[in-house]
Amino acid sequence: MKNHVLIKKKIKPFNKYIRVSGDKSISIRCVLLASQAIGKSKIYNLLESEDVINALLSIKKLGIRYKKVKNYYEIDGYGLDGFNIKKNVTINAGNSGTLARLILGILINSKKEIKIIGDKSLSKRDFSRVTNPLATFGAKIVSNKKKLPVRIKGSEFLRPIIFNEKLGSAQCKSSVMLAAIKTPGKTIIKAKKSRNHTELIFKYLNIPIKVSRKKNYDFIEIDGPVNFRAFDYKIPGDISSSSFFLVLTLLTNKSKLLIKNVNVNKSRTGIIEILNKMNAKILLKNKKTHNGEDVADIFVKSNNNLVSINCPEKLNSSAIDEFLVIFLVAAKAKGVSIFKNLSELNNKESPRLEIATKFLRKIGIKVLRNGDNIKIYGNPNLNLKSNYVIKNFREDHRVFMMSCIAALTFGGNWKIEDKKSINTSFPMFIKLLEKLGAEIN
């Protein structure tokens, strides 16, 4: 089967509604926490992507049973000490930094050594940001020069820590939080603002957690150890997956779209705030709270009067996975858009800031990049006619999806490699584009 797509036409105007897949961040957290709960947990609308399937396979290797029953997954947990780990276990996290980093937290008390590996992309990413604080709990951790593979053997004599998380990484914060619920005593975390799904799930599960919100940091206190009961959880749609369709609609003349039942947690909706500052006028409808998470339908329509933005840095963490498509809007907006301190973009599946710079220049957009800062000179009349081949982006799913949106809105004749990359996070992506009328070969 071919591993590329061909796009030769812009998408035609549309007026439709869609539902995107379950939130990936919440899906992985639910799987890992269900493996630690006491009893049978039921998880509805679990994202069935490679990253989440790898999470299920990982807990299976730790002795946890799961099965799919109709429209939910059932996971049998046996508590904080419920893993039945055999000798020489290797867990393959695939492409998922969330899985690899969070699972280290729940292995903090493992009686046997466990090896964590990943694909080529994940194996290039820094793991010292989680292995350093986890080692402070008392676990024995060995890495390959701060990268995968990582070997961890837990301790029976864990001690609580005080952790200063300075990167704005929800993965690092969450890994420490998962270790804290297994550790006697009070763990204290001072964390730079980042997505707060783990905190909200803890509260939903009645895990004792105290969160004090300051302007730039959150202070989190967890008293462990904490056993908790199995749970039922319905996962809302993923805002990151929705972002590609928000931008597709914005940049397609005479189009309207309603995306139903999406997670609109304020730590994730930076893209909506940024695009609305660029005159997008995106609306949230039917807002409600479910399991502590804000959920809504998102309405967007096309806009030919987009303007540039000097993006507030405080929005970086809440839009970190969406900047690639935000840059497409900046390319079409009137004026010069400025984005600063985006170092975390280069700590993702690929060096995204570097790739985005090359991509925008390839399609004729003037870009000035200075370290982690980027200026994008928008062209409201952008209309491509040339041939474009997009490849060598480390199989980064978000680069592939961004390229598809560019092809469908800017024009030109495109060949985009590594179609299989979307299986890590959003297998339905192409089918949903086709539902809206996209012609993709």
Side-chain angles (χ1 to χ4, degrees), residues 34-214:
S35 77
Q36 299 288 276
I38 300 171
K40 295 180 186 293
S41 295
K42 296 178 181 179
I43 306 174
Y44 297 81
N45 199 37
L46 187 75
L47 173 63
E48 292 178 308
S49 73
E50 287 180 354
D51 283 2
V52 181
I53 297 302
N54 281 332
L56 289 167
L57 294 175
S58 296
I59 64 170
K60 185 178 180 180
K61 282 199 169 187
L62 300 175
I64 300 298
R65 292 177 303 204
Y66 73 87
K67 62 182 177 181
K68 186 173 183 181
V69 184
K70 295 181 181 179
N71 62 336
Y72 63 87
Y73 278 81
E74 185 176 274
I75 298 174
D76 291 340
Y78 302 97
L80 300 180
D81 298 308
F83 290 154
N84 181 16
I85 303 171
K86 298 178 180 179
K87 288 184 178 180
N88 302 318
V89 168
T90 297
I91 288 174
N92 188 347
N95 186 254
S96 178
T98 301
L99 172 58
R101 290 176 174 140
L102 267 60
I103 204 166
L104 286 168
I106 67 172
L107 294 174
I108 199 75
N109 65 337
S110 169
K111 295 178 176 63
K112 293 187 174 73
E113 183 181 87
I114 295 172
K115 182 180 179 182
I116 311 292
I117 63 172
D119 67 8
K120 288 182 180 179
S121 172
L122 187 60
S123 297
K124 293 179 180 179
R125 297 170 70 177
D126 173 38
F127 273 75
S128 64
R129 53 175 60 188
V130 288
T131 57
N132 287 345
L134 292 179
T136 310
F137 279 99
K140 182 179 179 182
I141 304 176
V142 179
S143 67
N144 176 29
K145 297 179 180 179
K146 300 182 179 181
K147 295 179 173 61
L148 295 179
V150 169
R151 298 175 186 273
I152 181 170
K153 184 178 181 182
S155 172
E156 295 180 55
F157 305 102
L158 297 171
R159 53 186 178 269
I161 69 170
I162 298 174
F163 174 48
N164 189 1
E165 197 290 301
K166 300 178 180 179
L167 300 172
S169 168
Q171 293 176 2
C172 300
K173 173 181 67 176
S174 297
S175 186
V176 171
M177 290 173 65
L178 290 169
I181 63 175
K182 294 190 164 194
T183 303
K186 181 178 290 186
T187 292
I188 300 173
I189 305 167
K190 179 185 178 184
K192 188 176 178 181
K193 296 286 185 182
S194 63
R195 58 184 65 173
N196 67 338
H197 298 306
T198 308
E199 293 95 309
L200 293 177
I201 296 176
F202 273 26
K203 289 180 180 178
Y204 174 67
L205 298 179
N206 293 316
I207 294 172
I209 176 174
K210 181 180 178 182
V211 181
S212 302
R213 301 193 180 283
K214 307 299 180 183

Side-chain angles (χ1 to χ4, degrees), residues 215-230:
K215 183 177 180 181
N216 297 315
Y217 290 87
D218 291 338
F219 287 91
I220 302 168
E221 296 180 7
I222 299 171
D223 284 304
V226 185
N227 273 295
F228 54 96
R229 295 193 176 280

Side-chain angles (χ1 to χ4, degrees), residues 343-354:
S343 60
E344 276 299 290
L345 271 188
N346 284 332
N347 291 319
K348 293 291 183 176
E349 286 85 337
S350 69
R352 287 179 181 165
L353 190 58
E354 178 183 328

Side-chain angles (χ1 to χ4, degrees), residues 202-357:
F202 273 26
K203 289 180 180 178
Y204 174 67
L205 298 179
N206 293 316
I207 294 172
I209 176 174
K210 181 180 178 182
V211 181
S212 302
R213 301 193 180 283
K214 307 299 180 183
K215 183 177 180 181
N216 297 315
Y217 290 87
D218 291 338
F219 287 91
I220 302 168
E221 296 180 7
I222 299 171
D223 284 304
V226 185
N227 273 295
F228 54 96
R229 295 193 176 280
F231 56 93
D232 293 354
Y233 199 104
K234 184 176 180 180
I235 297 172
D238 196 319
I239 183 71
S240 295
S241 298
S242 301
S243 67
F244 297 98
F245 294 91
L246 295 177
V247 171
L248 176 71
T249 308
L250 266 181
L251 300 181
T252 302
N253 284 333
K254 299 178 181 178
S255 294
K256 296 178 181 179
L257 184 67
L258 185 70
I259 311 176
K260 292 192 170 184
N261 200 50
V262 181
N263 177 257
V264 289
N265 179 314
K266 288 183 179 179
S267 69
R268 296 285 300 280
T269 53
I271 181 170
I272 294 176
E273 291 189 59
I274 291 168
L275 294 182
N276 280 345
K277 287 178 182 292
M278 300 178 79
N279 202 31
K281 300 176 183 176
I282 296 168
L283 301 176
L284 300 182
K285 299 185 173 185
N286 301 323
K287 289 182 70 175
K288 56 189 175 184
T289 301
H290 186 69
N291 299 344
E293 292 280 358
D294 291 331
V295 179
D297 300 336
I298 306 177
F299 176 76
V300 59
K301 62 181 179 179
S302 54
N303 192 317
N304 294 321
N305 298 302
L306 297 165
V307 297
S308 60
I309 185 174
N310 186 347
C311 187
E313 291 179 39
K314 66 180 181 180
L315 295 178
N316 285 359
S317 66
S318 60
I320 196 65
D321 284 336
E322 290 73 56
F323 272 109
L324 290 178
V325 282
I326 291 170
F327 292 161
L328 295 184
V329 179
K332 192 79 171 176
K334 181 181 180 180
V336 181
S337 293
I338 300 171
F339 304 89
K340 296 179 180 178
N341 291 327
L342 293 176
S343 60
E344 276 299 290
L345 271 188
N346 284 332
N347 291 319
K348 293 291 183 176
E349 286 85 337
S350 69
R352 287 179 181 165
L353 190 58
E354 178 183 328
I355 286 175
T357 301

